[in-house]
Amino acid sequence: MKKITLTLFVIAAVGNLAAHIIENADLSFYTKPFLMPLLMVYFSVSSVEKKSLLNFGLLALLFSWAGDVVLMFQDRGELYFMMGLGSFLLAHVIYIFTYKKARWEEEENGLLPTQKIRYVFILVLAGCGLVYVLLPKLGELTIPVIIYASIIVAMTIFALNRFGFTSQTSFGLVFLGAVLFMMSDSILAINKFMEPLPIAGFWIMLTYILAQFTIVQGLLLHKKREPSS
């Protein structure tokens, strides 16, 4: 079941990415809604030690799916974009709680305080820089976009804070996924509010699909630490 679900997810992902390259709106429309449900099934049937971690992760994917579907109709009005933004905002908040569940109680070879400050500064600077560039174009969406940008930066910082509280592989995949999520949303925002980018849909979905998959895979690789002898 695990391999079958993963194969179907890859097929849906490749189909959706190909749709953006060949500009086939129908193929994109019919593949996108299957991405997160398939990833949810894959997450469910894979080995997860903590039921609460599974539930939080599935809830984040569920709100992501809702955001995916709603944003498919954003050309019908700004309300759909706002609803999609709200769905993803909730997904990021839930991911924050998920990351807090996927941590050891005690730190092991964690980051030094100066290192944490440095990396957090880079993430905050990236988020603030994007908002600053977009600000003249946001209009009535200024406050919602600032709130959303703050939450996704916070989500990425919480992913960073797992360093030393999980295995290197689990940390690396989850943090990579969080950064890719920031990249995906940044491309989407620039494409929507500033100027259309070449095959923007492809790059948005590529970074988004990779983000969700690497986060899920990283969470699956989080294991309870064996007690030291």
Side-chain angles (χ1 to χ4, degrees):
M1 184 65 178
K2 179 179 175 181
K3 289 183 178 180
I4 293 173
T5 307
L6 182 58
T7 301
L8 291 174
F9 172 76
V10 171
I11 291 172
V14 171
N16 186 266
L17 294 174
H20 290 287
I21 294 176
I22 65 178
E23 298 183 347
N24 188 321
D26 289 337
L27 181 58
S28 173
F29 187 87
Y30 289 113
T31 53
K32 189 177 181 181
F34 288 99
L35 292 169
M36 292 305 103
L38 286 169
L39 194 55
M40 290 170 68
V41 175
Y42 171 73
F43 192 29
S44 298
V45 300
S46 302
S47 59
V48 178
E49 293 185 0
K50 293 183 178 180
K51 188 175 180 180
S52 60
L53 172 59
L54 172 63
N55 292 337
F56 272 101
L58 289 176
L59 196 58
L61 291 172
L62 179 62
F63 277 105
S64 296
W65 172 79
D68 285 343
V69 173
V70 172
L71 288 177
M72 290 168 62
F73 303 97
Q74 63 176 306
D75 58 340
R76 297 185 180 182
E78 208 64 50
L79 177 62
Y80 287 90
F81 178 77
M82 288 295 297
M83 291 171 61
L85 196 72
S87 295
F88 276 111
L89 186 145
L90 289 173
H92 293 315
V93 171
I94 296 166
Y95 266 136
I96 288 173
F97 286 99
T98 307
Y99 300 158
K100 293 177 71 174
K101 293 283 184 181
R103 286 166 57 101
W104 296 330
E105 292 184 3
E106 296 181 3
E107 187 177 18
E108 182 179 282
N109 299 322
L111 294 172
L112 296 173
T114 52
Q115 292 176 310
K116 285 186 179 181
I117 292 172
R118 187 187 312 144
Y119 296 136
V120 168
F121 176 76
I122 292 172
L123 295 173
V124 172
L125 184 64
C128 291
L130 178 65
V131 171
Y132 179 78
V133 170
L134 295 175
L135 208 54
K137 306 287 187 178
L138 295 179
E140 295 180 353
L141 294 176
T142 298
I143 299 302
V145 170
I146 289 175
I147 294 173
Y148 183 86
S150 301
I151 293 298
I152 194 169
V153 169
M155 184 271 290
T156 310
I157 291 172
F158 272 88
L160 172 68
N161 286 339
R162 294 179 71 243
F163 188 94
F165 291 91
T166 186
S167 67
Q168 289 292 327
T169 306
S170 176
F171 163 78
L173 287 172
V174 170
F175 183 65
L176 173 62
V179 171
L180 286 169
F181 225 136
M182 282 188 65
M183 291 175 60
S184 179
D185 284 345
S186 298
I187 298 170
L188 187 152
I190 292 170
N191 185 69
K192 178 176 176 62
F193 295 111
M194 295 191 67
E195 59 180 272
L197 301 172
I199 57 171
F202 171 81
W203 295 113
I204 291 168
M205 289 307 297
L206 176 63
T207 48
Y208 172 69
I209 291 168
L210 289 175
Q212 294 281 28
F213 180 74
T214 51
I215 289 173
V216 165
Q217 200 63 40
L219 292 174
L220 289 172
L221 291 175
H222 174 70
K223 304 295 182 183
K224 290 181 180 178
R225 184 164 55 176
E226 295 296 329
S228 56
S229 55

